[in-house]
């Protein structure tokens, strides 16, 4: 979007009238507003600006096909803890996206390949035929992944249906909605000046029979994965990414597990720390010893490792063991620490003992609490399952 504003700025700077100059100034102001905000230790924006956006799949979309009469739009929101049904192939896509932050901004090449494979499987299966003509496409869609996360646009588009899969759109108006203002702020872009740059198309390549999952590909080659209703794990990771409502999302997830009656287990694998409720100290070694950064590696034989990337190939490593003492509770002893570089290691005289309680755990995500009441959220990063 910043690129769009800069293109417009270059065009209007050639004109000398007061209106053009005013538009140029407003464009630069909004470029500054939309610049990335500074982040603190948990990726939370230190200064937050809430924007409500409606667009064709870039953040969320409220869409009713134009050939049909306007109907009441159903926005799927629920305060109840509930399970959302997916087919096996759909669940493979959801699981591959789970843990990818920023709707794809932080994804690795391994994650991108897994997501693309899952997308292609669903596109081959087909889903609902002629999806743009189906009532299932109506509603508000939330973007959960895109291959071009930096192209998100807070613009409402005029849309029309070309065929059973393609939607033609043209950007024609836009506005910002701030929580602290009772009115919308117009977005200062005269789209008529942009010509064909304000036009595009979006193919719906998969629409689930439940009407809850959609895959689209745009005219610039971008892939979008959208949902009408997200599950509690997704809502937690979204809350972590935005820094808003994390504890409430954790409570919802824990309640879900309690309702199923299943007892969580400490699953083996590599687990990346995504969030914790503790304020970090100025000492990185103290943070590493307390598991406030980096990965946990859980082994079947009761072994556990803390692993933190430092710099230039150096890592902090701390090994220990865990013993289950009661339902969902483990005694953990960490007593073998070192700074490791390649095949060499420098031992450190460090020790840490704590009680770990599992609040929620599945094969992909884990929520735990340690003896000093710190809550952790870990996401699984390896491919052993």
């Amino acid at each position: 979007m910043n690129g769009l504003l800069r293109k417009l700025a270059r065009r209007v700077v050639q004109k000398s009238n007061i209106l053009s100059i005013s538009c140029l100034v407003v464009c630069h102001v909004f470029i500054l507003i939309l610049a990335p905000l500074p982040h603190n230790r948990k990726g939370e924006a230190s200064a937050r600006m809430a924007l409500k956006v409606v667009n064709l799949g870039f953040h969320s979309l409220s869409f009713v096909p134009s050939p049909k009469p306007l109907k009441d739009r159903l926005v799927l929101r629920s305060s109840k803890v509930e399970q959302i049904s997916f087919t096996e192939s759909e669940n493979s896509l959801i699981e591959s996206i789970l843990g990818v932050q920023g709707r794809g901004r932080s994804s690795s090449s391994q994650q991108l390949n897994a997501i693309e494979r899952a997308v292609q499987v669903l596109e081959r299966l087909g889903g609902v035929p002629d999806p743009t003509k189906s009532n299932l496409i109506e509603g508000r869609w939330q973007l959960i992944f895109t291959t071009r996360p930096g192209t998100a646009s807070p613009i409402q588009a005029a849309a029309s249906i070309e065929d059973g899969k393609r939607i033609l759109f043209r950007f024609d108006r836009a506005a910002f909605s701030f929580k602290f203002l009772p009115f919308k702020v117009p977005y200062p872009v005269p789209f008529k000046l942009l010509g064909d740059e304000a036009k595009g198309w979006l193919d719906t390549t998969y629409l689930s029979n439940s009407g809850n999952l959609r895959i689209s590909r745009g005219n610039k080659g971008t892939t979008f994965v959208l949902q009408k209703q997200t599950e509690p794990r997704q809502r937690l990771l979204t809350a972590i990414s935005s820094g808003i409502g994390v504890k409430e999302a954790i409570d919802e997830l824990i309640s879900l597990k309690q309702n199923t009656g299943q007892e969580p287990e400490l699953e083996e694998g590599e687990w990346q720390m995504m969030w914790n409720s503790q304020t970090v100290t100025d000492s990185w070694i103290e943070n590493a010893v307390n598991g406030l950064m980096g990965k946990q590696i859980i082994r079947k034989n009761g072994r556990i490792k803390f692993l933190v990337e430092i710099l230039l190939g150096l890592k902090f490593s701390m090994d220990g063991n865990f013993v289950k003492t009661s339902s969902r509770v483990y005694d953990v002893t960490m007593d073998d620490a070192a700074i490791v570089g390649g095949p060499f290691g420098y031992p450190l005289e460090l020790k840490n003992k704590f009680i770990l309680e599992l609040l929620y755990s599945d094969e992909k995500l884990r929520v735990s609490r340690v003896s000093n009441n710190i809550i952790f959220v870990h996401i699984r990063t390896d491919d052993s399952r």
Side-chain angles (χ1 to χ4, degrees):
M1 180 46 54
N2 288 353
L4 191 63
L5 285 171
R6 290 190 175 94
K7 284 183 182 179
L8 178 64
R10 286 196 294 269
R11 293 190 182 191
V12 300
V13 77
Q14 299 172 356
K15 301 181 182 293
S16 59
N17 57 54
I18 296 176
L19 178 61
S20 297
I21 295 173
S22 300
C23 184
L24 176 63
V25 172
V26 175
C27 283
H28 283 290
V29 169
F30 273 86
I31 288 172
L32 292 175
I33 290 176
L34 292 173
L37 298 172
H39 285 70
N40 60 18
R41 65 175 183 89
K42 298 177 186 174
E44 301 174 2
S46 56
R48 293 193 184 96
M49 190 177 303
L51 301 177
K52 286 186 179 178
V53 295
V54 178
N55 55 67
L56 279 172
F58 302 106
H59 283 301
S60 62
L61 165 66
S62 295
F63 174 66
V64 178
S66 54
K68 299 180 181 180
L70 186 65
K71 299 179 181 180
D72 292 334
R73 298 178 184 180
L74 176 63
V75 179
L76 294 174
R77 296 177 180 173
S78 175
S79 59
K80 297 180 180 179
V81 176
E82 54 193 16
Q83 294 276 23
I84 300 173
S85 176
F86 295 107
T87 66
E88 183 178 348
S89 298
E90 290 168 353
N91 190 62
S92 295
L93 175 58
I94 297 300
E95 290 290 321
S96 64
I97 292 173
L98 199 67
V100 173
Q101 294 295 290
R103 301 183 180 92
R105 192 179 301 275
S106 65
S107 54
S108 66
S109 58
Q110 182 180 0
Q111 289 171 318
L112 286 175
N113 290 336
I115 293 168
E116 180 61 25
R117 287 195 300 269
V119 165
Q120 291 177 1
V121 167
L122 288 174
E123 288 177 333
R124 286 196 296 268
L125 291 174
V128 174
D130 295 331
T132 59
K133 296 179 181 179
S134 170
N135 290 332
L136 292 174
I137 204 170
E138 300 180 12
R140 178 170 293 178
W141 292 88
Q142 180 179 344
L143 180 70
I144 60 173
F145 175 81
T146 174
T147 52
R148 297 180 66 190
T151 60
S153 170
I155 295 174
Q156 188 168 16
S160 61
I161 294 175
E162 183 181 56
D163 55 34
K165 287 190 175 182
R166 178 162 294 183
I167 299 170
L168 304 177
F169 64 87
R170 175 176 55 84
F171 294 132
D172 60 357
R173 59 190 173 91
F176 290 95
S177 179
F178 300 95
K179 286 185 177 180
F180 54 85
L181 292 178
F183 55 86
K184 293 183 178 180
V185 179
Y187 196 71
V189 177
F191 292 99
K192 291 182 179 179
L193 294 180
L194 297 177
D196 290 341
E197 293 183 30
K199 298 178 181 179
W201 51 260
L202 201 65
D203 280 349
T204 299
T205 57
Y206 181 82
L207 177 64
S208 66
N209 290 308
S210 66
N212 190 49
L213 181 67
R214 178 162 64 94
I215 300 170
S216 295
R217 294 187 185 263
N219 57 296
K220 294 184 178 180
T222 309
T223 300
F224 305 94
V225 180
L226 307 100
Q227 282 181 254
K228 280 184 183 175
Q229 189 177 15
T230 53
E231 59 153 315
R233 293 183 304 172
Q234 293 173 303
R235 291 194 283 273
L236 171 56
L237 294 175
T238 299
I240 290 173
S241 181
S242 67
I244 302 173
V246 178
K247 292 185 178 178
E248 291 80 1
I250 288 174
D251 289 342
E252 179 188 20
L253 191 62
I254 294 171
S255 176
L256 169 67
K257 200 67 174 182
Q258 289 173 343
N259 290 342
T260 62
Q262 299 177 1
E263 181 176 317
E265 294 289 341
L266 196 57
E267 297 273 350
E268 67 169 316
E270 295 184 7
W271 296 84
Q272 178 69 43
M273 201 276 295
M274 302 294 294
W275 182 89
N276 68 77
S277 60
Q278 174 68 21
T279 303
V280 296
T281 69
D282 293 332
S283 169
W284 72 266
I285 193 98
E286 182 179 346
N287 297 328
V289 170
N290 289 319
L292 299 178
M293 57 174 60
K295 289 184 178 180
Q296 284 184 10
I297 301 176
I298 308 296
R299 302 300 184 198
K300 273 185 177 179
N301 57 0
R303 299 295 294 174
I304 180 172
K305 178 194 290 285
F306 290 171
L307 193 63
V308 180
E309 301 280 347
I310 305 175
L311 52 85
L312 300 176
L314 295 177
K315 300 178 182 179
F316 169 83
S317 175
M318 192 171 189
D319 287 87
N321 61 79
F322 63 89
V323 178
K324 188 172 184 178
T325 56
S326 62
S327 174
R328 301 182 298 130
V329 178
Y330 298 80
D331 279 347
V332 182
T333 301
M334 308 296 296
D335 55 10
D336 183 10
I339 301 294
V340 179
F344 305 101
Y346 179 78
L348 301 172
E349 293 294 328
L350 297 169
K351 192 171 184 178
N352 187 16
K353 296 185 68 174
F354 57 90
I355 297 173
L356 184 147
E357 179 187 4
L358 285 179
L359 304 178
Y360 175 90
S361 182
D362 58 31
E363 294 181 354
K364 192 69 176 180
L365 187 141
R366 187 180 78 207
V367 181
S368 60
R369 177 168 51 209
V370 299
S371 46
N372 48 359
N373 217 30
I374 303 175
I375 295 177
F376 290 88
V377 177
H378 286 83
I379 195 79
R380 189 173 188 158
T381 58
D382 64 326
D383 261 346
S384 60
R385 287 281 180 101

